[in-house]
Amino acid sequence: MANATMHDVAKLAGVSLATVGRVLHQNGYVSRENREKVEAAVRQLGYIPNSAAQSLKNSSSHMLGHILRFSPNLLFEQISQEVDRAAAQRGYSVLSFTKYESPGEDQRIVTEFISRRVEGVIITSILNFDPALVQKLLDAGIPTVRIERAPEHADRVLVDDLQGAREGAAALVRAGHRDIAYMGLGGNAQVERLRLEGYRQALEEGGLPLCPHLEQLVEDYSPQAGYQAMAALWAGPRPTAVFAAADSLASGALQFLYQAGARVPQDVSFMGYDNTLATLLAPPLDSVGIQAGPMGEAAVDLLLRRRQHPLEPGQPGKEILVPTRLVSRGTVAPSSRLSL
Amino acid sequence: MANATMHDVAKLAGVSLATVGRVLHQNGYVSRENREKVEAAVRQLGYIPNSAAQSLKNSSSHMLGHILRFSPNLLFEQISQEVDRAAAQRGYSVLSFTKYESPGEDQRIVTEFISRRVEGVIITSILNFDPALVQKLLDAGIPTVRIERAPEHADRVLVDDLQGAREGAAALVRAGHRDIAYMGLGGNAQVERLRLEGYRQALEEGGLPLCPHLEQLVEDYSPQAGYQAMAALWAGPRPTAVFAAADSLASGALQFLYQAGARVPQDVSFMGYDNTLATLLAPPLDSVGIQAGPMGEAAVDLLLRRRQHPLEPGQPGKEILVPTRLVSRGTVAPSSRLSL
DNA sequence: TTGAAAGCGCTAACAG
DNA sequence: CTGTTAGCGCTTTCAA
């Protein structure tokens, strides 16, 4: 029942603990004969090292921690997968916690990470994660990296939202649209500011005026918010194209258009953002893709590299900017509205 | 930098290790005076126990393992969240692995679980997970529970798919539809058999004939498959209602209908299954909801209970059937086709 | 009511 | 080339 230990292996092979250790770690000299005896014993017993003992001895757990929050789109789930995969490839396992809004939650998670002696922590898209607790991790010698929403001073992996949004809106401009609406989150968090700014830059670069009534700023990324925003746009002077700063908003916007009987792209062109739900919607949407794979890899690498060169207090953190990738599926059509 | 140990606490408090232990575990007798000294020292040092040492000593890791596979819908992500949450509430952390199809993957994951001495493993919706490896877990004294796809003999948490599908199709029957199509996965895995069977039962109970050409069996749960299935249905004698055995299939079906210019529910009523994407689609879909919360809880509880009463070899595993919950959003309309 | 001490399984320095 | 040994940090028995 209980697992075999190195001791059992040594006894069965008729050698000492140290010899077993040498074979297992392939270091030091071991006679061919003993090596084979040990290998046979390992196989026969199905010996698997006890990682608690290893952790204790080496003070290294080979685990990373990941904190994220549930969200209405699939992006964080994707990032979670990719973080796990990247970690696995580097011999690490990931302890994930989904943060819920319950008092003491942050505290509990951080304590758990410290207790488990994780070797790094990834915080995905939670700007306000209690800074004192992040500091507590750093004090415990645990490097921390942020994905997507991050304070300036932290190590972080960000989406190139300015460029991404610019590219998304530019595609609409290039198709000849002049009345291009934007829907996205309000507030002045960096992510939202950059997406809006990218949209505006694209319009200006296309020689188009910015119309406040075409900028719908909503309160959250729910489909409902997208629905409302689209309803508002449809009531006023109608745009011929819409750029939604998240596929989840696009989802709601399409629900409104469906109900209103307007068709995409015949009646209005559409561009989404993040490329998570895009393939699931009707019609499948053009969307500015966020690349979860590279982000997960970058985060894990940054963390592991910090083990050699810890972030000195006061030093600015390292920022890795991951480019977006626009995917076209036919919801951007040439503008049919006469422009002269 | 490195964390304080019990030793540090003892020294600072001027007592022995054993006394610190007593305070920490609230057992044994400790004088009020010493208790307060220890508590003060713990606070001052920010002492957090090293769980590797605890695991080693207690041979119990307070971790569970979870294996799941990436899927095109959101169900498994939901289950993953709920498993994590249920485990956290019971003082356990979860080590999750997403299984990719790469050789040696199963082996690697199981070895990792045994090495970490997880106290139970949840396998979500992977019927063919190498049985020899599951046996290896059991041999190592690690109980295992399956979610959604499970061999008969295993402890398992299943969706009541027969009842769920019956209820979903029955809603269409009640609305007066006589030509109700089904789209779902072929093959004879239990999940798929039961959903199809539920659909058929509902039709029979409504006195409707079963028409083979209305049963579209596809190869996978992708939107593309749903699209194709809907195209096939739309080409033949058209149904007035469609029951999709997964929201991801519904997603593709709606894409086809959108393109074909048919409207839901005016031209065809629609019922989805699993209720994951339903709120994101246009129009938001009626769907038979799978309850990830109760499933996650049941799985964790089953696992933890097995620590007291291990599953004897030969004994049949325990099965927990979680009911579905139909959610209406207006895509089932009365049939307009004359029935007499 | 308290402390000393053994040992969980593993690693690695040291002595042969 | 091989074996002995001292811990890593914690729990718990035993003796005081």
Side-chain angles (χ1 to χ4, degrees):
Chain A
M1 201 77 163
N3 238 269
T5 71
M6 265 179 72
H7 208 95
D8 300 329
V9 173
K11 209 160 44 180
L12 181 60
V15 299
S16 75
L17 266 182
T19 300
V20 175
R22 289 190 190 98
V23 174
L24 258 28
H25 299 109
Q26 332 217 30
N27 66 9
Y29 299 98
V30 182
S31 70
R32 169 183 250 265
E33 187 189 19
N34 275 345
R35 158 166 289 117
E36 282 165 1
K37 278 198 280 187
V38 170
E39 282 166 350
V42 165
R43 262 197 309 279
Q44 187 181 332
L45 295 171
Y47 170 73
I48 295 176
N50 179 327
S51 55
Q54 291 180 316
S55 294
L56 185 56
K57 184 68 197 177
N58 302 331
S59 36
S60 91
S61 62
H62 271 233
M63 288 202 289
L64 301 178
H66 191 182
I67 306 172
L68 67 169
R69 190 188 274 135
F70 193 81
S71 86
N73 71 19
L74 288 158
L75 182 59
F76 302 144
E77 285 78 350
Q78 281 178 18
I79 289 178
S80 185
Q81 304 264 354
E82 297 296 342
V83 164
D84 290 0
R85 186 218 285 268
Q89 282 172 350
R90 290 156 184 77
Y92 280 75
S93 296
V94 179
L95 218 44
S96 294
F97 288 98
T98 303
K99 179 174 149 59
Y100 295 97
E101 289 310 337
S102 71
E105 181 75 357
D106 294 7
Q107 176 71 254
R108 207 201 87 232
I109 295 173
V110 165
T111 302
E112 178 73 16
F113 284 156
I114 295 178
S115 174
R116 300 260 180 214
R117 301 300 192 262
V118 299
E119 297 180 39
V121 168
I122 294 168
I123 301 176
T124 295
S125 203
I126 304 177
L127 187 52
N128 300 323
F129 193 84
D130 187 342
L133 289 173
V134 174
Q135 190 53 47
K136 197 167 166 189
L137 285 170
L138 298 174
D139 289 348
I142 300 175
T144 298
V145 62
R146 305 292 201 107
I147 291 183
E148 212 212 11
R149 285 174 197 274
E152 288 276 331
H153 57 85
D155 281 336
R156 56 204 187 276
V157 177
L158 302 179
V159 177
D160 192 349
D161 282 309
L162 180 64
Q163 170 57 20
R166 207 160 124 239
E167 201 180 335
L172 295 167
V173 172
R174 265 204 314 283
H177 292 277
R178 298 184 54 80
D179 302 299
I180 302 173
Y182 175 87
M183 65 175 71
L185 217 65
N188 55 8
Q190 163 117 319
V191 171
E192 280 71 34
R193 282 213 324 268
L194 290 177
R195 293 186 190 174
L196 179 55
E197 182 57 25
Y199 155 82
R200 287 177 174 168
Q201 281 189 14
L203 263 59
E204 283 171 351
E205 285 163 17
L208 300 178
L210 301 180
C211 304
H213 73 273
L214 287 179
E215 294 179 358
Q216 283 290 326
L217 300 185
V218 301
E219 306 247 308
D220 61 58
Y221 281 119
S222 67
Q224 289 73 22
Y227 182 99
Q228 301 290 356
M230 194 66 231
L233 288 171
W234 215 236
R238 293 185 182 170
T240 63
V242 175
F243 179 35
D247 279 1
S248 55
L249 293 178
S251 149
L254 290 180
Q255 289 173 343
F256 174 82
L257 291 171
Y258 188 85
Q259 193 173 308
R263 291 188 64 85
V264 175
Q266 293 85 342
D267 298 318
V268 58
S269 284
F270 216 108
M271 173 70 66
Y273 199 94
D274 70 34
N275 195 35
T276 52
L277 301 176
T279 55
L280 302 171
L281 303 178
L285 226 53
D286 288 30
S287 189
V288 177
I290 290 180
Q291 304 190 80
M295 294 183 76
E297 301 232 325
V300 172
D301 284 338
L302 198 46
L303 229 37
L304 296 185
R305 244 178 288 126
R306 273 294 178 223
R307 289 161 39 72
Q308 322 300 333
H309 312 285
L311 180 60
E312 308 293 338
Q315 256 192 343
K318 174 152 184 172
E319 170 177 311
I320 294 179
L321 213 53
V322 177
T324 56
R325 253 158 142 325
L326 197 153
V327 181
S328 294
R329 299 189 177 91
T331 58
V332 174
S335 169
S336 57
R337 189 176 292 182
L338 301 178
S339 54
L340 287 180
Chain B
M1 200 76 162
N3 238 270
T5 71
M6 263 178 76
H7 207 96
D8 301 329
V9 173
K11 208 159 50 182
L12 182 60
V15 299
S16 74
L17 266 182
T19 299
V20 176
R22 289 189 192 99
V23 173
L24 258 28
H25 298 107
Q26 333 216 29
N27 66 10
Y29 299 99
V30 184
S31 68
R32 168 182 251 266
E33 187 189 19
N34 276 345
R35 157 165 291 114
E36 280 165 2
K37 277 198 280 188
V38 169
E39 282 165 350
V42 165
R43 261 197 309 280
Q44 186 180 332
L45 296 172
Y47 169 73
I48 295 176
N50 179 327
S51 54
Q54 290 179 317
S55 295
L56 185 56
K57 186 67 197 173
N58 302 331
S59 39
S60 92
S61 62
H62 270 233
M63 288 202 289
L64 301 178
H66 191 183
I67 306 172
L68 66 169
R69 190 188 274 134
F70 192 81
S71 85
N73 73 19
L74 288 157
L75 182 60
F76 302 144
E77 285 77 351
Q78 281 179 18
I79 289 179
S80 185
Q81 304 263 354
E82 297 296 342
V83 163
D84 289 1
R85 186 217 287 267
Q89 283 173 348
R90 291 156 184 75
Y92 280 74
S93 296
V94 179
L95 219 43
S96 293
F97 288 97
T98 303
K99 177 174 149 58
Y100 295 97
E101 289 311 336
S102 71
E105 181 76 356
D106 294 5
Q107 175 72 254
R108 207 201 87 234
I109 295 173
V110 165
T111 302
E112 178 73 17
F113 284 156
I114 295 179
S115 175
R116 300 264 180 210
R117 303 297 192 263
V118 299
E119 297 179 39
V121 168
I122 294 169
I123 302 176
T124 295
S125 203
I126 305 178
L127 187 51
N128 300 323
F129 194 83
D130 187 343
L133 289 173
V134 174
Q135 190 53 49
K136 197 168 165 187
L137 285 169
L138 298 175
D139 288 348
I142 300 175
T144 298
V145 62
R146 305 292 203 107
I147 291 182
E148 212 212 12
R149 284 173 198 275
E152 289 277 330
H153 57 85
D155 281 336
R156 56 204 187 276
V157 177
L158 303 179
V159 178
D160 192 348
D161 282 308
L162 179 65
Q163 169 57 19
R166 208 160 123 238
E167 201 180 334
L172 296 167
V173 172
R174 266 203 312 282
H177 292 277
R178 299 184 52 81
D179 303 299
I180 302 172
Y182 176 87
M183 64 174 71
L185 217 65
N188 56 8
Q190 162 117 321
V191 172
E192 280 72 33
R193 282 212 324 269
L194 289 177
R195 293 187 191 173
L196 179 55
E197 182 57 25
Y199 155 81
R200 288 177 174 169
Q201 281 189 14
L203 262 57
E204 283 171 352
E205 286 164 15
L208 301 177
L210 302 179
C211 304
H213 72 273
L214 287 179
E215 294 179 0
Q216 284 289 326
L217 301 184
V218 301
E219 306 248 306
D220 61 58
Y221 280 119
S222 67
Q224 289 73 22
Y227 182 98
Q228 302 290 358
M230 195 65 232
L233 288 171
W234 216 236
R238 293 186 181 168
T240 63
V242 176
F243 179 36
D247 280 1
S248 55
L249 293 177
S251 149
L254 289 179
Q255 290 173 344
F256 174 83
L257 291 171
Y258 188 84
Q259 193 174 308
R263 291 189 65 84
V264 175
Q266 293 86 341
D267 299 318
V268 57
S269 284
F270 216 107
M271 173 70 64
Y273 199 96
D274 70 34
N275 195 36
T276 52
L277 301 175
T279 54
L280 303 170
L281 303 178
L285 225 53
D286 289 28
S287 190
V288 176
I290 290 180
Q291 305 190 79
M295 295 183 74
E297 301 231 325
V300 171
D301 284 338
L302 198 46
L303 230 36
L304 296 184
R305 244 177 289 127
R306 273 293 178 224
R307 290 161 39 72
Q308 322 300 332
H309 312 284
L311 180 59
E312 308 293 338
Q315 258 192 342
K318 175 154 183 172
E319 170 177 312
I320 294 178
L321 212 53
V322 177
T324 57
R325 250 159 143 327
L326 198 154
V327 182
S328 293
R329 298 187 179 92
T331 58
V332 173
S335 169
S336 57
R337 190 175 293 181
L338 300 180
S339 54
L340 289 181

